[in-house]
Amino acid sequence: MQVEQLHPWPTTTAEAEAVQDRLRGHVELTGPDTFSLVAGLDVHYHGDSLTAAAVVLDAGTMETVEEVTAHGRVAFPYVPGLFAFRELPALVEALERLTLTPDLLVCDGYGLAHPRGFGLACHLGVLTGLPALGVGKTPFVGTHEPPGPERGDWAPIVHEGAVVGRALRTQREIKPVYVSQGHRVSLDTVTDQVLRLAPRYRLPDPIRRADHLARHPG
């Protein structure tokens, strides 16, 4: 698949924030609600180098139909809110190695639930034009009440007076994940898809498989 190069990779905090500010207006918060091919994306660090993995699943059978990796070096400093710029070059390279074009990107990270309203899931969604959502393991911005104990219970995440995501219980009495829209999906669709893609474990299967591949690319 092809990824549109909408900007050069920034090297400073000011450049990165300017990219986020410029692209934030391209985010769409409605789109399809059914998907045939779903790609999980994750990155694993090995010192100053990293491996990005993309694993495409058949959404009906949950079988893996394609998987690729890309290796790179960390080229952007760790700055809260700009973490995506450490991972985007390798993730884009991995996506471009896919022979299939997924219908949905499931990112290990955040979308609207981000200090500037433009996390990794938003960025990848805008660059690819594909529906994208973010799944975080820990809360990042905003506040929320504890969701109920049952699978499917959720509570809104509110940041600066706006709902930016949900704390979602994917398994009974297991700590929630933090989901948000990236691009071309509604928050209800994000919630439904994360639940459907996490039938047995806390994290959705596409992310779990991408994490394993990034850790063990051989």
Side-chain angles (χ1 to χ4, degrees):
M1 61 171 288
Q2 290 189 329
V3 180
E4 190 170 0
Q5 188 68 38
L6 296 177
H7 59 82
W9 299 123
T11 58
T12 68
T13 296
E15 291 172 352
E17 290 179 348
V19 168
Q20 289 181 334
D21 289 340
R22 179 167 62 85
L23 295 186
R24 186 168 54 234
H26 294 264
V27 171
E28 301 173 20
L29 300 180
T30 60
D33 57 12
T34 58
F35 309 93
S36 298
L37 296 175
V38 178
L41 305 172
D42 201 6
V43 172
H44 182 66
Y45 290 82
H46 319 265
D48 290 333
S49 62
L50 53 80
T51 299
V55 179
V56 182
L57 277 63
D58 181 304
T61 65
M62 298 292 280
E63 295 294 324
T64 297
V65 294
E66 188 176 13
E67 55 183 36
V68 296
T69 58
H71 306 285
R73 299 193 66 81
V74 177
F76 194 85
Y78 176 77
V79 180
L82 300 178
F83 194 74
F85 291 99
R86 296 166 64 86
E87 303 187 345
L88 277 166
L91 284 169
V92 166
E93 183 178 345
L95 286 169
E96 289 182 325
R97 291 182 178 182
L98 289 173
T99 62
L100 300 169
T101 299
D103 304 304
L104 175 67
L105 305 179
V106 181
C107 305
D108 178 21
Y110 304 91
L112 293 186
H114 176 273
R116 305 178 72 81
F118 196 77
L120 176 67
C122 297
H123 209 139
L124 280 172
V126 169
L127 290 181
T128 61
L130 298 174
L133 61 87
V135 182
K137 304 180 194 69
T138 57
F140 189 26
V141 297
T143 59
H144 65 86
E145 297 296 326
E150 300 299 327
R151 170 176 160 85
D153 288 344
W154 58 265
I157 301 171
V158 179
H159 179 57
E160 297 181 345
V163 174
V164 296
R166 289 172 178 169
L168 173 65
R169 194 87 64 184
T170 54
Q171 302 299 328
R172 185 176 187 273
E173 295 184 341
I174 298 297
K175 61 183 179 180
V177 294
Y178 303 88
V179 304
S180 54
Q181 294 156 277
H183 184 53
R184 294 186 59 210
V185 286
S186 70
L187 189 50
D188 283 342
T189 297
V190 168
T191 303
D192 292 344
Q193 289 298 311
V194 171
L195 284 172
R196 193 180 63 77
L197 295 169
R200 296 175 300 277
Y201 302 102
R202 178 183 177 229
L203 291 176
D205 282 5
I207 289 178
R208 294 181 68 254
R209 296 185 201 182
D211 172 75
H212 183 270
L213 181 61
R215 291 174 184 273
H216 309 284

